[in-house]
């Protein structure tokens, strides 16, 4: 099995171009089921995207990938498609469940494997089903599958989500685009990736308006013309490299971003005493001699993202005093903590809150992680640790970070895959 080897304490210097967002591409790929012909550019060619493409192919779409240009072309012109998302394709990537909304609204039925639990928590799909039912779908659960049907099509309605969910908002939006009449969704997630999905759906001909956490959709006949869409940058990848720069950057410049989307992250890093210079589409960052402690709570956008919690925790191990992180989105997202402790960090966990005591010197060790963001936090820890860090199970990293080693190597990091 492949591993990453990192020799720590090498100062980073250089520029990193941020890839397109995985979490925007996944729902937009699901949305391509509503279209005839789509060309997507700035697609991050990471494992989760290939899994979603495999699912779309299984359903019956034609896919062409132009690797060098990161363009994906999709044609959906078959009379009959397979309205099934099998277990083998949904179990490794929960976003597979996003084909539920488009399939039911356009093809009137779907059979989607329940994704099951995952390392960071139980992650149910009850909110996705709640929205689909409100729109008129009949739903049954049988043998681990969601069986959904809407013989006469879906009908627009008012839906208030009891709690905020990115995936459920996306599934509801996708379903509402093919429903008759007007749908009003409230208490929605409004992540930049959702706004990117909305901009794609508008190109398809949907009428969608966003008012705070309320989204109004009027079902329309969608265009059969070809849609071109350039995927938004990956704010989590950008945040990860910003933290790398804060930890050990002589000067790192991250490029191909929209800085205003990263306001929350920039504010926190500045408060911790990191040197940041931001312009509209790039940010330069360098480390400081000492960092101030900080307290954060993970929240839906525009709050601090749970997907950057593990990475920020590594920075907090270097801050003076006790920093506090409350994980408010997922119930089991501190699995990087035992591994960081093995590298010398002092972290205590009480319920959903981690107390990080710093500054602590980190030492290289052989470590392994159980999810995407936890793995990358160990890479960050390896960059500042004494001696050598070996990271196992790096397939987690490959699910979401495009050219991770290459990007870090370009900034003089000593990192290699063995
Ligand atoms: C998406 C992101 C993921 C990120 C998460 C939160 C993608 C592909 N993934 O995941 O990287 O960490 O948002 O920002 O975009 N919940 C329910 N019932 C449901 C759905 C969710 O109880 O039907 C709960 C979840 O268990 C979790 C919380 O709601 O505690 C938020 O989850 P959600 O926003 O749905 O996350 P995902 O869409 O799965």
């Amino acid at each position: 099995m492949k591993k990453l080897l990192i020799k720590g304490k090498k100062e980073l210097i250089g520029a990193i171009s941020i890839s397109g967002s995985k979490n925007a591409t996944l729902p937009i790929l699901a949305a391509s089921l509503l279209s005839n012909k789509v060309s997507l550019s700035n697609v991050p060619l990471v494992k989760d995207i290939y899994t979603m493409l495999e699912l779309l192919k299984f359903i019956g779409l034609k896919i062409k990938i132009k690797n060098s240009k990161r363009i994906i072309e999709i044609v959906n012109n078959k009379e009959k498609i397979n309205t099934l998302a099998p277990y083998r394709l949904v179990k490794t990537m929960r976003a597979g469940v996003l084909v539920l909304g488009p399939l039911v609204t356009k093809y009137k039925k779907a059979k989607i494997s329940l994704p099951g639990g995952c390392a960071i928590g139980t992650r149910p799909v009850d909110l996705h089903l709640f929205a689909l039912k409100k729109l008129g779908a009949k739903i049954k659960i049988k043998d681990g599958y969601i069986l959904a049907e809407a013989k006469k099509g879906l009908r627009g309605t008012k839906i208030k989500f009891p709690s905020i969910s990115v995936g459920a908002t996306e599934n509801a939006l996708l379903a509402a685009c093919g429903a008759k009449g007007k749908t009003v969704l409230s208490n929605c997630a409004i992540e930049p990736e959702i706004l990117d999905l909305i901009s794609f759906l508008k190109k398809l001909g949907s009428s969608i308006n966003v008012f705070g956490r309320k989204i109004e959709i009027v079902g329309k006949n969608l265009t059969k013309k070809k849609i071109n869409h350039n995927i938004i940058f990956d704010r989590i990848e950008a945040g990860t490299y910003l933290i790398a720069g804060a930890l050990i950057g002589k000067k790192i410049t991250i490029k191909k971003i929209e800085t205003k989307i990263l306001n929350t992250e920039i504010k926190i890093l500045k408060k911790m005493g990191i040197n940041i210079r931001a312009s509209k589409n790039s940010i330069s960052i360098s480390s400081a001699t000492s960092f101030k402690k900080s307290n954060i709570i993970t929240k839906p956008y525009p709050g601090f993202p749970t997907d950057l919690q593990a990475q920020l925790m590594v920075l907090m191990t270097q801050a003076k005093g006790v920093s506090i992180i409350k994980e408010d989105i997922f119930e089991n997202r501190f699995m990087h903590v035992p591994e960081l402790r093995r590298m010398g960090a002092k972290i205590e966990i009480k319920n959903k809150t981690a107390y990080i005591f710093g500054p602590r010197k980190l030492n290289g060790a052989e470590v392994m992680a159980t999810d995407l963001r936890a793995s990358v936090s160990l890479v960050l820890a390896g960059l500042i640790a004494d001696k050598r860090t070996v990271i196992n199970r790096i397939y987690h990293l490959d699910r979401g970070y495009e050219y991770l080693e290459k990007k870090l190597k370009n900034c003089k990091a000593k990192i290699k895959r063995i």
Side-chain angles (χ1 to χ4, degrees):
M1 212 179 271
K2 291 195 175 127
K3 303 173 179 202
L4 269 187
L5 208 92
I6 302 171
K7 241 180 162 177
K9 294 223 176 274
K10 298 277 177 263
E11 257 187 340
L12 303 180
I13 182 159
I16 297 179
S17 289
I18 299 304
S19 298
S21 160
K22 162 180 90 70
N23 286 356
T25 308
L26 290 168
I28 290 174
L29 285 175
S32 68
L33 282 163
L34 300 173
S35 72
N36 264 39
K37 213 168 177 190
V38 169
S39 175
L40 302 177
S41 52
N42 199 31
V43 174
L45 294 171
V46 293
K47 183 76 183 31
D48 275 9
I49 301 300
Y50 286 109
T51 309
M52 191 65 157
L53 291 174
E54 221 183 298
L55 175 57
L56 294 183
K57 268 193 218 161
F58 177 89
I59 291 174
L61 274 51
K62 280 184 218 137
I63 315 266
K64 204 157 128 194
I65 307 173
K66 296 181 182 165
N67 285 52
S68 58
K69 293 190 175 152
R70 296 199 182 77
I71 289 178
I72 293 182
E73 298 202 324
I74 303 168
V75 177
N76 178 17
N77 60 3
K78 275 197 188 162
E79 279 286 294
K80 264 195 107 181
I81 61 154
N82 208 351
T83 51
L84 168 71
Y87 177 63
R88 75 180 164 87
L89 291 173
V90 183
K91 71 166 192 241
T92 53
M93 189 206 49
R94 289 175 44 84
V97 83
L98 294 176
V99 300
L100 175 66
L103 286 178
V104 178
T105 207
K106 184 167 170 183
Y107 301 96
K108 315 275 188 274
K109 60 174 186 166
K111 180 177 175 186
I112 314 286
S113 169
L114 279 168
C118 76
I120 61 177
T122 50
R123 294 181 87 175
V125 289
D126 56 318
L127 298 171
H128 299 236
L129 305 187
F130 160 79
L132 265 290
K133 278 184 196 161
K134 288 255 177 196
L135 287 162
K138 297 260 174 297
I139 294 189
K140 277 195 283 189
I141 306 288
K142 203 175 163 216
D143 306 329
Y145 277 81
I146 304 161
L147 305 177
E149 201 177 58
K151 279 190 183 140
K152 292 185 183 156
L154 299 178
R155 282 195 174 275
T157 185
K158 285 189 180 165
I159 302 172
K160 183 170 184 199
F161 289 106
S163 61
I164 296 173
S165 155
V166 171
T169 301
E170 290 167 344
N171 236 334
L173 250 170
L174 291 162
C177 284
K180 271 197 200 106
K182 182 170 167 179
T183 300
V184 182
L185 305 173
S186 46
N187 202 24
C188 293
I190 45 162
E191 268 52 10
E193 296 75 30
I194 295 184
L195 301 186
D196 202 31
L197 170 66
I198 290 176
S199 107
F200 175 86
L201 292 169
K202 281 183 169 172
K203 289 180 190 171
L204 258 181
S206 303
S207 158
I208 305 177
N209 287 300
V210 182
F211 311 95
R213 290 205 179 273
K214 190 191 269 189
I215 305 177
E216 288 185 4
I217 307 113
V218 181
K220 294 257 160 101
N221 283 334
L222 302 178
T223 181
K224 293 201 173 356
K225 283 194 205 140
K226 183 175 174 188
I227 307 294
N228 295 303
H229 188 77
N230 191 52
I231 303 285
I232 191 179
F233 79 99
D234 192 320
R235 70 191 161 98
I236 305 300
E237 190 200 18
T240 302
Y241 291 124
L242 278 179
I243 293 173
L247 280 164
I248 191 157
K250 190 161 183 191
K251 187 177 169 195
I252 292 271
T253 303
I254 61 161
K255 300 193 303 193
K256 288 182 76 182
I257 58 163
E258 263 179 78
T259 300
K260 64 174 190 293
I261 286 179
L262 294 163
N263 272 347
T264 304
E265 291 82 345
I266 292 171
K267 236 183 176 167
I268 287 168
L269 292 175
K270 276 190 174 164
K271 256 183 149 174
M272 289 180 79
I274 317 288
N275 307 306
I276 295 185
R277 280 186 59 182
S279 62
K280 194 168 167 242
N281 299 113
S282 73
I283 304 176
S284 292
I285 185 158
S286 30
S287 192
T289 37
S290 69
F291 308 132
K292 293 190 194 104
K293 67 185 172 96
S294 175
N295 297 343
I296 63 133
I297 303 177
T298 60
K299 289 273 176 220
Y301 190 84
F304 189 84
T306 172
D307 285 355
L308 273 178
Q309 177 257 105
Q311 299 89 313
L312 186 71
M313 190 180 285
V314 177
L315 185 60
M316 287 171 164
T317 66
Q318 304 307 302
K320 206 170 164 205
V322 186
S323 296
I324 301 173
I325 295 183
K326 182 169 180 217
E327 172 54 61
D328 223 13
I329 307 276
F330 291 110
E331 72 262 35
N332 187 23
R333 211 175 193 182
F334 285 137
M335 269 130 22
H336 43 286
V337 169
E339 299 299 284
L340 290 176
R341 279 191 194 131
R342 292 184 53 241
M343 294 178 76
K346 187 177 174 207
I347 302 167
E348 281 171 16
I349 297 175
K350 281 188 198 126
N351 302 320
K352 290 161 107 187
T353 305
Y355 299 85
I356 304 105
F357 299 77
R360 299 277 290 195
K361 193 169 136 261
L362 299 188
N363 302 305
E366 182 148 3
V367 288
M368 101 183 157
T370 35
D371 83 71
L372 172 59
R373 310 302 171 183
S375 312
V376 89
S377 77
L378 298 176
V379 173
L380 296 177
L383 291 174
I384 55 163
D386 264 350
K387 298 187 190 138
R388 209 175 74 144
T389 298
V390 180
I391 303 177
N392 291 289
R393 296 203 182 165
I394 54 173
Y395 52 83
H396 288 297
L397 284 170
D398 296 335
R399 286 187 48 205
Y401 284 89
E402 195 180 37
Y403 303 130
L404 175 97
E405 300 105 274
K406 199 170 152 199
K407 288 183 182 186
L408 285 171
K409 255 190 200 157
N410 281 346
C411 295
K412 311 258 186 280
K414 292 266 183 229
I415 179 167
K416 69 175 177 196
R417 195 176 276 241
I418 49 167

